[in-house]
Amino acid sequence: MAAARAGARVSLQKYTYTPIDQLKEGKVFNVYGVVIFFKPPYRSKGTDYCLLVTIMDQSEAKLKCMLFSENQETLPIVYKVGEIVRFHRVKIQKFNDEIQGINSGGFSALVFDGIVGSPVSPRSTSKCYNFHPDDERFVEVLRQWASKHLKVSAPQIKISDVESVQFFDLLCQLVGKAEVDNSSYLIKVWDGTKISSPSWNVFVEEAALEGDQALIHQRQSLIIDVLVYDNHVESAKSLKIGSYLLIHNVHAKLHTSGKENEAKNPHMEFHLHGGTCFGRGITVLPESNSDVQGLQRLLVSVHESLDNIASQEIITTLHPQLALKAQQDWPITPLATVLKSKAPHKYRIRARLKSYEPQNLLQSVKLHCVKCNSLHDVPDEDTIKTVLQNNSDYDSVAGIQSTSWYQSAVWNTNNQQNRHIAIHFVKRHDILQNPEDTLIMLQGGTLQEIYKLSKHFDSIIPVKAIQGNLEIDISIPFLIQGNRWHYGCTRCSKIKSTEMLRSLSQEISWNATEIAKVLGIQPLSHVFTLHFTFVDETGKLNAFLWNYSEQFFHISASEILLDNKLQEKLFNIMDTLCPPRKIIDKSPWLDCCIKSYNTTNGGKRQICYEIFDTEVVEDDL
DNA sequence: TTAGGGTTGG
């Protein structure tokens, strides 16, 4: 018995089918045929979508059928040339001295794949259709006939074979898409094979690209860019990432530039040209499709091997020599034993880093007050901008006068109306210094201006004028020294007048601790605060990293926020200790010192763990 | 009503 679609109702009424060479104009017939050409559904200029299918049967006559429908989904589901169709109630008419079929009232269609001997399971767009045991025979006979008499298979090839064929149908999976311009659209696809010659990369802004960027990056060498044009833009836009596609009549074009220096680097371009000639278009295939299932199997195995290669690369190629160094003469204690023991105690553990928080590593940088032991977030740029804006007002800058210990200058910024900046150059030994040795007090400057000035001057103190006095706002950095931005504790500081800086004007250099002291500021120190989850064969243990974090990473927490190289170093270290993609078996074993301590949380006693005396080193073992 | 294949563009 033929396999019918789940939930479909099947009637057994017997129909008569007319050979194509016996069809007569003006009448309605039922026909069977092999698809020898088709155009996937496309939008007509009228109200409907249309599908053009040309079929042939054992009479060796052809019938071109124009099928229209308001709804694309109700048109016969044809994927490939060579498939078998059964049409009920096709109206035959004449056009250009040729008969053609049109769908008329009561039209219905079934489509079967064309593979000899495969199950005769119909694709139908309606839930209720007729299927008689005779149909199975009809389909199989037609398949047999087509396999002997027709050479109708479209050149469906893999990406690795494109060089030999210029136009082909491509079965693939969509991994990314992006708008290019009004008449073209980019789709990024793969079929698990690798193109033999270099292929082009269509430039689009990263933000415009839809799809998993990390995945696209990882599969880069296996992904091709296909540029689709005109009428195909609309259908490409609606495609879902991850869906399986049959792109009909892709043009692989070897691009060799006329310029001599470029001619040596030819690359392959992929176009789906506009229009519907040669059946150009994109068909979305369901996951139940047998071709798709074959493709899926290939993609899964390729993906797994890529993952293995990637994690191997991270561990062994990118950072081959990173490891953790702890007290080497201490015995290793299993995590289960650590967890069962009383605090306080010190241990050396050997475990893998399963995860860490925060994943956004820059968020791990906090400000710590040693006096009141409070932790604060580092103010973000927007907060600083707002404070600076409020500290800037024209009147306070207008009446500025130099004093014996600093010399003042006022600028009018051209880009914004009535905005003035005052810079007070603090003298040392009663004389002005070179910029690289100079402390300036900045009044009315923006964040951007602070960034710029901090490249030229040794130290900057942002100030605001209150009743003629220059004062410090402790909600923003009180001192900027290059990439080091110094903050003070709002709770513990007792701010004094900037006049106090005068006492430092005989010093040799501008020392942040000294400046904080005379200004009554309790300085905050930058620390990394991370939460690590370790695992070994015996258990799982959470530990903090903060007091010993700078020693651990060999990175200054106070400079990292403004230093790309330090940020990159931190990211690389954490990628090595805890490789992404969560394959714990690929993570390195880490030696680490931890100490336990008692703490209370909401009145409840608990034991916490902190990493200490451990550092990232180049492993020369 | 619409579109109605014909050896191929960016």
Side-chain angles (χ1 to χ4, degrees), chain A residues 411-483:
Chain A
W411 279 270
N412 187 354
T413 59
N414 294 324
N415 52 350
Q416 280 183 31
Q417 272 190 331
N418 272 344
R419 196 170 68 81
H420 289 71
I421 311 170
I423 298 184
H424 311 281
F425 302 89
V426 179
K427 296 175 188 170
R428 202 191 281 156
H429 305 295
D430 298 324
I431 29 178
L432 291 172
Q433 308 288 311
N434 292 327
E436 61 271 23
D437 298 319
T438 299
L439 164 68
I440 58 168
M441 293 187 288
L442 177 68
Q443 196 184 343
T446 63
L447 187 61
Q448 280 311 314
E449 284 155 358
I450 289 180
Y451 282 135
K452 273 189 194 165
L453 292 168
S454 69
K455 289 195 173 73
H456 301 286
F457 291 95
D458 179 74
S459 302
I460 302 172
I461 296 181
V463 292
K464 58 186 173 181
I466 295 178
Q467 295 167 342
N469 294 319
L470 298 180
E471 293 190 9
I472 283 159
D473 190 326
I474 205 171
S475 57
I476 58 171
F478 70 87
L479 175 67
I480 290 146
Q481 293 180 312
N483 284 342

Side-chain angles (χ1 to χ4, degrees), chain A residues 478-495:
Chain A
F478 70 87
L479 175 67
I480 290 146
Q481 293 180 312
N483 284 342
R484 290 176 187 266
W485 290 41
H486 303 269
Y487 293 86
C489 179
T490 45
R491 215 184 289 173
C492 304
S493 304
K494 294 191 177 84
I495 314 273

Side-chain angles (χ1 to χ4, degrees), chain A residues 175-314:
Chain A
V175 291
K177 58 175 190 168
E179 202 158 315
V180 177
D181 56 44
N182 280 339
S183 65
S184 64
Y185 196 88
L186 170 68
I187 55 177
K188 284 179 175 286
V189 298
W190 75 321
D191 73 353
T193 70
K194 194 171 173 179
I195 182 166
S196 45
S197 52
S199 73
W200 69 341
N201 242 320
V202 178
F203 175 78
V204 286
E205 296 287 343
E206 206 169 284
L209 183 65
E210 264 183 69
D212 185 331
Q213 304 268 1
L215 222 57
I216 291 172
H217 181 75
Q218 188 199 13
R219 299 174 187 168
Q220 207 168 26
S221 63
L222 298 175
I223 290 173
I224 60 163
D225 284 6
V226 181
L227 209 49
V228 310
Y229 297 91
D230 307 334
N231 53 318
H232 309 303
V233 170
E234 185 197 338
S235 40
K237 268 184 189 172
S238 64
L239 296 174
K240 290 196 178 71
I241 302 293
S243 57
Y244 297 92
L245 310 176
L246 202 46
I247 313 176
H248 305 276
N249 199 234
V250 178
H251 182 190
K253 190 181 166 196
L254 195 60
H255 178 92
T256 44
S257 168
K259 292 177 192 166
E260 207 174 317
N261 55 342
E262 289 179 32
K264 288 169 192 158
N265 298 311
H267 61 259
M268 195 66 85
E269 298 181 349
F270 296 94
H271 306 271
L272 178 64
H273 297 300
T276 61
C277 291
F278 310 99
R280 282 171 192 162
I282 304 171
T283 308
V284 179
L285 297 176
E287 296 202 21
S288 57
N289 180 278
S290 61
D291 289 343
V292 167
Q293 287 173 353
L295 174 64
Q296 264 178 336
R297 282 193 292 274
L298 175 66
L299 296 185
V300 166
S301 70
V302 171
H303 184 69
E304 279 170 0
S305 59
L306 282 179
D307 251 354
N308 285 338
I309 292 165
S311 41
Q312 286 298 331
E313 272 177 0
I314 286 169

Side-chain angles (χ1 to χ4, degrees), chain A residues 59-181:
Chain A
S59 71
E60 297 200 357
K62 288 183 199 172
L63 178 67
K64 200 179 289 176
C65 298
M66 291 302 315
L67 309 172
F68 295 96
S69 171
E70 236 178 345
N71 185 350
Q72 202 178 335
E73 276 72 50
T74 61
L75 288 166
I77 310 158
V78 180
Y79 297 137
K80 285 201 272 190
V81 165
E83 291 178 333
I84 312 294
V85 294
R86 188 196 75 177
F87 292 154
H88 281 177
R89 292 168 288 269
V90 190
K91 191 178 162 193
I92 302 300
Q93 57 188 37
K94 223 167 200 174
F95 174 76
N96 276 352
D97 277 339
E98 236 182 15
I99 56 158
Q100 67 172 197
I102 295 280
N103 53 337
S104 60
F107 171 83
S108 78
L110 293 183
V111 185
F112 308 85
D113 77 53
I115 304 158
V116 175
S118 74
V120 181
S121 60
R123 297 199 282 270
S124 166
T125 49
S126 80
K127 282 208 162 181
C128 173
Y129 57 85
N130 171 283
F131 197 91
H132 192 272
D134 283 353
D135 282 301
E136 211 162 336
R137 201 169 42 81
F138 263 116
V139 171
E140 196 49 41
V141 168
L142 257 177
R143 282 171 172 174
Q144 302 269 6
W145 174 80
S147 73
K148 282 190 195 121
H149 296 91
L150 299 175
K151 280 190 178 167
V152 285
S153 62
Q156 195 189 97
I157 61 163
K158 305 301 277 182
I159 289 172
S160 53
D161 303 324
V162 286
E163 261 186 321
S164 53
V165 191
Q166 251 204 311
F167 290 89
F168 57 96
D169 288 1
L170 180 65
L171 172 71
C172 54
Q173 188 186 30
L174 182 70
V175 291
K177 58 175 190 168
E179 202 158 315
V180 177
D181 56 44

